[in-house]
Amino acid sequence: RLRMGNIQLRETVAIYELSMAIAFTLDPGTILSKVADATLQQCQVDEVSIMLPTTDGEELYVAVVRGDRPRPILGERMPIHRGVAGWVARQQEPLSLQGEVTDARFGPIYPRPEIRAAISMPLQVGGRLVGVLNVNATDRRRSFRLGQVKALSILASIAASALENAHLYRQVREREEALHALYRAGLGMQEPLELQGRLDRVLQASRGVLHLDRLN
């Protein structure tokens, strides 16, 4: 009981340290790195990766990876309708696998029979997917304890909230920049320019606000 109590205390401390580490950062890269490092240490596994959805939602790409892998995968993309991570992203449900994956529903794109235990967990906020956390262990005798699964679920929740906050902050900054652009365009309208010059400034500011390449 004392040993299990120490393990649970270590898991609680790791979660607390992670929450404090990302509480005051709005940089997605920093958040991803700290979550991956905490997961690798917490679960004592061989590999950790976090995948994020592309803008169109059709693919997932590897945003951060930790541990030893037989080949580099950082930046690699995969269709969201394939693989273990794709299944987790579509269903927005965690998935725990033991041994070689043979189920056709979430068969891996690149089979890796050396992985003996794996957990993929969705990162979601308010029903919206923001990423997938993948944990792999190659030890043939390895299995995840219930406490580790619960801790991983809490880590995923913290990571999802932090990424969503960073996303919202970026949106606010973009809107502020757009308003500043319109304000500068308004000041420019007061300068003694010909009509065409004023229209050009309005069009230029509008392209920046609407993120358009061309506006007539």
Side-chain angles (χ1 to χ4, degrees):
R1 288 197 300 269
L2 179 60
R3 184 176 66 85
M4 292 302 299
N6 288 337
I7 292 175
Q8 292 175 357
L9 178 61
R10 186 170 64 247
E11 292 169 349
T12 303
V13 170
I15 292 171
Y16 172 77
E17 290 177 345
L18 174 64
S19 63
M20 293 300 295
I22 64 178
F24 302 104
T25 180
L26 292 168
D27 176 57
T30 301
I31 295 170
L32 291 169
S33 294
K34 289 186 178 298
V35 170
D37 290 337
T39 303
L40 188 69
Q41 179 181 7
Q42 174 69 28
C43 295
Q44 299 178 344
V45 291
D46 303 295
E47 302 167 2
V48 173
S49 67
I50 299 177
M51 306 183 75
L52 303 180
T54 54
T55 304
D56 58 11
E58 296 296 322
E59 295 180 304
L60 296 170
Y61 68 94
V62 180
V64 65
V65 62
R66 292 290 187 272
D68 298 325
R69 290 189 60 95
R71 63 185 184 86
I73 64 168
L74 187 63
E76 189 173 272
R77 295 189 174 204
M78 57 165 282
I80 202 167
H81 62 274
R82 294 189 59 187
V84 174
W87 187 93
V88 171
R90 295 193 311 275
Q91 302 298 323
Q92 296 193 23
E93 296 179 4
L95 182 64
S96 179
L97 300 170
Q98 198 76 24
E100 186 175 354
V101 177
T102 58
D103 194 321
R105 293 178 301 167
F106 34 76
I109 297 177
Y110 304 105
R112 297 184 58 198
E114 74 274 14
I115 295 177
R116 308 310 302 174
I119 295 179
S120 288
M121 193 158 292
L123 308 180
Q124 52 188 346
V125 177
R128 189 177 75 85
L129 180 81
V130 298
V132 177
L133 175 63
N134 304 299
V135 177
N136 297 327
T138 58
D139 190 339
R140 193 175 291 271
R141 298 164 296 178
R142 179 62 190 272
S143 62
F144 293 100
R145 293 179 283 100
L146 179 60
Q148 286 180 316
V149 176
K150 289 182 178 179
L152 190 60
S153 177
I154 297 174
L155 289 174
S157 179
I158 294 173
S161 297
L163 289 173
E164 179 68 4
N165 289 338
H167 173 70
L168 293 175
Y169 175 75
R170 186 170 63 251
Q171 285 186 328
V172 170
R173 289 296 304 271
E174 290 175 352
R175 290 172 183 172
E176 288 179 347
E177 292 173 0
L179 289 174
H180 284 308
L182 286 176
Y183 175 73
R184 290 193 297 270
L187 291 179
M189 294 291 288
Q190 301 176 14
E191 297 179 5
L193 296 175
E194 298 293 333
L195 177 60
Q196 185 59 47
R198 295 186 179 187
L199 291 175
D200 289 341
R201 289 197 174 186
V202 171
L203 289 174
Q204 182 179 2
S206 299
R207 283 198 301 270
V209 171
L210 300 175
H211 303 288
L212 298 176
D213 297 324
R214 183 176 181 182
L215 183 66
N216 296 324

